[in-house]
Amino acid sequence: MNKHTKTKNSHGREGKEITTIVNRRLFLRSAGLATSLGTIVIAAGCNDDDEDPMIPGTGDTVDLGSGDMGVLNYAYALEQLEAAFYTQVMQTPYNGITDAEKAILTDIRDHEIVHREFFKAALGDKAIKGLTPNFSAIDFTKREAVLGAAKLFEDTGVAAYNGAGKLIKDPNYLLLAGKIVSVEARHAAVIRDLINPKSADFAGDDIIDANGMDRAIAPADILAAVKGYVKDTLTGTSVGK
Amino acid sequence: MDIFKIIDQFQQIDGDAVGRLEYASRRHFMHKAGSKLASAAIPTAFAAIVNKAFAQSAAAVDVLNYALTLEYLEDEFYKAGNAAANLIPASDKAIFTQIGKHETQHVAFLVKALGSKAIAKPTFDFQYGGAFSDVFTNYKTFVTVSSALEDTGVRAYKGQAGVLIADPQILEYALQVHSIEARHAAVARRLAATLLGNTAMKGWITGKEGAVAAIYAGEDNMTQGGVNLKGLASKSDAAITEAFDEPLTKEAVLAIAGPFIKK
């Protein structure tokens, strides 16, 4: 496989772009979010009769836009999903939730709502509409399902911000993304520690590479991974361009 | 220091460096996927490109060496802590082993990337001139310093993002390390909160709450994007400050880290 892509790569710029796409697909299929999404759906113990979460949204088509505004709308879309998720979690707490867990999940909910409202205000009339989430695959009564989904959303959020950083042109927006991504990483670590306390999982080898680096994933791949959780169809082909 | 000149030089030296970096890092992802073939060569290839690109720029070397200084400090700290007898209880070993592993990996990566330009490892004084004299014998002190180092690391990397904006692949690397430091900080803070009996201290930073007050200056900032967020979505000041982490300049970080560095 490596040999094959190398050969293509030597054909110049166009060939390299094809290789990039191919590699990204391979990465996603073999290692990435498509797989973990599937795992979460199974872990969530969803009803077999539920609609397939991988079927694209049934709501509106929403274009995130281009350039920095596209990146901000991309972040706004993800924050909308996170905020809606934790709002639901606290409206219908899972069976056996402890006071400590309630406090943590309430904090996280409030952070995500602050992020969502901040982006909405910052984008003004450039903001995309309020999205309609689809959490039908998540059994909100079960701790394992809720924390598993929370882990997926937080890890995905971190990878999304890390991958979007280099698309941002304005240093002020880059700094803002930086201020938010580390909070998402804190959430990810704490959620992971709730799932498997006092283990290495808060920054586990399942996502951290051999250089001790977190993931950085491009918008197209993130949007593909979360599309089952939103009824609207998000298009982000011009984000950052 | 003019970062834009550096980037220009970068591209003159190796116009295709970014493309090849992207290629190398994607292959690295595939290593994660389980395709271990040839994976050992990849960090080296990446590092070689970075090294080549920065070979003529003293200013860029300074930025990477700044990161290396902090990673050396953290790496040495956890090596000593993890090696100390009767310091870290068995229940918490897995956490600090994992943190230490990452810091060692960060050092190795930066040393390779910088090549002959890498600074030598400084000599450290983890007792911080006597302020933390029992750092490797009292677990409370160790965790306190750990949480402070990690939160400082988060602020330090964040403060360099804008400097690297014209240098996408190095920026991405810095972001990927930045979020790891934040993961470390969150667990260290929660351990510290329990050990110190400080229920106000959480995985995220409320106002400027932290075990070593001096390093949290400015974390209580309420103004983001030029707008004071007070009252946003009817959320408390606590929630608003928790939702955003704040950067520190290189000068501020080195002032904090200074007493740890003997020479």
Side-chain angles (χ1 to χ4, degrees), chain B residues 17 46 110 130 134 175 190 196 204:
Chain B
F46 184 93
L110 286 166
D134 58 355
L175 289 171
R190 278 162 55 78
L196 303 171
W204 24 91

Side-chain angles (χ1 to χ4, degrees), chain A residues 183-194:
Chain A
V183 174
E184 304 291 348
R186 291 174 192 271
H187 294 167
V190 172
I191 293 288
R192 284 170 158 266
D193 195 55
L194 288 180

Side-chain angles (χ1 to χ4, degrees), chain A residues 1-2 5-6 9 13 16 19-20 23-24 26-27 30-31 104 107-111 113-115 117-118 155 158 161-163 165-166 168-171 174-176 178-183 185-190 192-194 198-200 202-216, chain B residues 16 19 22-23 26-33 35 37-38 43 91-92 94-95 98-99 101-102 105-106 109 151 154 158 161-162 165 168-169 171-173 175-180 182-187 189-191 202-205 221 223-225 229 232-233 235 239-240 242-247:
Chain A
M1 188 166 54
N2 285 342
T5 50
K6 255 185 193 165
N9 212 25
R13 194 154 291 278
K16 194 171 69 194
T19 309
T20 300
N23 276 346
R24 198 173 286 162
L26 284 170
F27 159 62
S30 55
I104 285 168
D107 276 2
I108 298 179
R109 177 199 64 188
D110 288 350
H111 303 162
I113 288 173
V114 168
H115 292 162
E117 294 307 310
F118 169 74
D155 284 338
V158 172
Y161 278 101
N162 282 350
K166 67 181 176 188
I168 298 173
K169 312 273 190 305
D170 182 330
L174 177 61
L175 178 59
L176 274 167
K179 290 179 178 205
I180 292 173
V181 64
S182 55
V183 174
R186 291 174 192 271
H187 294 167
V190 172
R192 284 170 158 266
D193 195 55
L194 288 180
K198 302 239 175 186
S199 71
F202 66 95
D205 295 345
D206 57 325
I207 42 166
I208 310 307
D209 74 16
N211 287 322
M213 292 191 202
D214 218 319
R215 297 181 305 175
Chain B
D16 195 36
E22 218 167 58
Y23 179 67
R26 278 193 207 295
R27 286 184 64 203
H28 184 72
F29 272 135
M30 300 183 64
H31 159 53
K32 274 295 290 174
S35 166
L37 269 178
S91 61
D92 298 354
I95 291 172
Q98 187 76 352
I99 295 179
K101 181 175 88 176
H102 293 154
Q105 288 167 338
H106 296 163
F109 181 85
D151 275 333
V154 175
K158 204 188 313 296
I165 196 164
Q169 196 57 50
L171 170 63
E172 188 160 286
Y173 154 67
L175 289 171
Q176 288 177 273
V177 175
H178 169 246
S179 59
I180 294 294
R183 287 174 187 264
H184 294 172
V187 290
R189 288 176 64 88
R190 278 162 55 78
L191 287 176
K202 304 188 264 193
W204 24 91
I205 303 167
N221 175 34
T223 300
Q224 304 297 346
L229 302 185
L232 183 72
K235 295 304 174 191
I240 289 169
E242 286 168 2
F244 297 88
D245 281 342
E246 299 297 325

Side-chain angles (χ1 to χ4, degrees), chain B residues 142-213:
Chain B
F142 176 77
V143 173
T144 295
V145 175
S146 167
S147 70
L149 280 177
E150 297 298 341
D151 275 333
T152 303
V154 175
R155 303 192 73 175
Y157 275 97
K158 204 188 313 296
Q160 295 306 302
V163 179
L164 297 172
I165 196 164
D167 187 4
Q169 196 57 50
I170 303 299
L171 170 63
E172 188 160 286
Y173 154 67
L175 289 171
Q176 288 177 273
V177 175
H178 169 246
S179 59
I180 294 294
E181 303 292 341
R183 287 174 187 264
H184 294 172
V187 290
R189 288 176 64 88
R190 278 162 55 78
L191 287 176
T194 304
L195 287 164
L196 303 171
N198 180 0
T199 52
M201 191 169 160
K202 304 188 264 193
W204 24 91
I205 303 167
T206 314
K208 46 185 179 178
E209 180 67 49
V212 182

Side-chain angles (χ1 to χ4, degrees), chain A residues 87-110:
Chain A
T87 297
Q88 180 67 49
V89 168
M90 291 318 300
Q91 272 169 4
T92 56
Y94 52 79
N95 296 326
I97 192 168
T98 66
D99 287 347
E101 288 168 354
K102 263 189 196 165
I104 285 168
L105 293 166
T106 302
D107 276 2
I108 298 179
R109 177 199 64 188
D110 288 350

